[in-house]
Amino acid sequence: MCNQAVGLIAAELERRGITTVCIVLLREVAEKVRPPRALFVPYRHGYPLGLPHDAAAQREVIEAALRVVEGDGDPPILTTFS
C-alpha cells in the first residue's frame, strides 16, 4: 500500500482505540503524514522486512516494530531501524 494511505489509516485506527505501528520505506513521507507510530527501514521498495528468505533479519524488523509499540512517548513517534 501507499505510505501515505497507510499512515492515514493508522491514524484512524488509533482514534478508534487500536494501537498501530507502520513500517515505512520513505522517511520523508512519514515525516509529512505523521502516522501515530512508525519504524523507518532503509530497504528498497517492495522489501519492508529486508531480503527474501532472510528470516532472522525479517524477525529483527518485526521485533523492532513491536518495541516501537511498547516504547514510551506520545504519538507521533518515528524511529529508525538500526
Side-chain angles (χ1 to χ4, degrees), residues 10-69:
E12 182 58 30
L13 289 170
E14 293 265 346
R15 279 191 284 279
R16 294 173 185 240
I18 300 170
T19 302
T20 64
V21 62
C22 300
I23 297 174
V24 298
L25 300 170
L26 299 172
R27 184 178 190 90
E28 37 308 326
V29 173
E31 289 171 345
K32 289 180 184 174
V33 175
R34 300 180 62 176
R37 288 170 203 80
L39 175 67
F40 167 71
V41 294
Y43 301 131
R44 62 183 217 209
H45 287 276
Y47 297 93
L49 299 180
L51 296 174
H53 312 293
D54 189 349
Q58 293 168 358
R59 182 182 193 95
E60 287 179 23
V61 174
I62 293 169
E63 288 175 351
L66 292 173
R67 284 192 298 276
V68 173
V69 171

